[in-house]
Amino acid sequence: MLVDWRLLRRAATYPDAPIMAVDWYEPKALVRGQQREPLPTATEPLPPEFAAALKQVSDYTAARNSTGLLVMHQGEIVWEKYWQGHDANSPFNAMSMSKTIAGLLVGIAIEEGAIASTDDLASQYLPEWQQDDRRAISLQDLLYMQSGLRNERHTDTPTSDLVQMYVGSDVASTALNIPLAIPPGQTFEYNNVNTQIIALILQRATGLAYPEYLAAHLWQPLGAQDASIWLDRPQGTAKTFCCLFATIHDWARVGQLLLNQGQVGNTQVVPAEWIQTMLTPSPLEPTFGHHIWVKARTTDYLNVDQASTEPFVAEDTFYLDGRGLQRVYVIPSQALVVVRMGENPDTWDDAVIPNTLVTALMKMPR
């Protein structure tokens, strides 16, 4: 059996604060951007109630191991703060927020005709699955996290699926060889392999490597700066379930894209119908859509360490979620986009930031 020296080296040098440590992992692929103009900043004085709420959520964020907070209201930056040596040009590791990017690219690929629909079987693009029980898994199953693929998430052995995908040298082979544990379409289970398989489908359907497709069809139309994404090895495969590195401003651009139903300026980058599809809750898990969270995760829904103590005040709130509590909250009814970056804090309530801001805005005269 061949020894994966990259996996051993990466595991041995894994940093104490992995989300802040941008440079420890190599190699990365460039995701070329095309920044055209900066995000607009509000110039008018903010109403006192809203300004006080912004200060309150900023203090809450600062006290919880954060590196950045940016709030946009009505398309303009109204609050921006950084901590621990970071600034507006710092790239952040988005962790699982990267999964939503893969979801957006599926909608673009369907619009372009490279993929017919979410009813397509994954095995149409993956001949490796055509001769076993995984041939019944659909793209919809992968997007809704209901594929039934084995979900081996422990990190105390180098042979686990998660360790192999996260720091190993052949993420495609690892993902393609994960077996079915239960029939697809029966159980919601958040599983990194689903996103990695989606990216392989995108590559085979479009004929482009994932970083190239992302750059040409989403990142550049967003007007974003250059970003980067982990590769398993030099000239290898992108790790798409995690590990897209971009600035807080560019994650705010992603939030604005979602808020504006896929539109950037006068250009429809992602079909509006696809944004609505992404936000349609799973029949098996009402907090989750197509690779995006669509409702507050309280203990009523999922056993999560950092749950919301209450539902979101604005019922149309949805958000991107990355390990360490990377967040992009999007609240269309209030024209709000909030981005928080940092490491995992000791305490966190997912309801605090969106509900504090929404409550203040709802009290203001219209």
Side-chain angles (χ1 to χ4, degrees), residues 39 72 100-101 104-105 108 217-219 221-222 250-265 267-272 274-275 278 318 328 330 337:
L39 292 173
M72 296 190 71
T100 300
I101 299 299
L104 288 166
L105 292 179
I108 295 172
H217 294 268
L218 181 61
W219 215 245
L222 268 178
D250 288 339
W251 282 107
R253 292 178 193 275
V254 173
Q256 285 294 134
L257 170 91
L258 289 161
L259 187 147
N260 294 327
Q261 294 292 296
Q263 196 165 339
V264 178
T267 303
Q268 194 71 42
V269 176
V270 182
W274 180 251
I275 302 296
M278 288 184 70
F318 58 91
V328 179
V330 182
V337 171

Side-chain angles (χ1 to χ4, degrees), residues 215-234:
H217 294 268
L218 181 61
W219 215 245
Q220 291 171 16
L222 268 178
Q225 302 178 58
D226 288 353
S228 62
I229 191 169
W230 281 5
L231 296 179
D232 54 3
R233 61 188 183 276

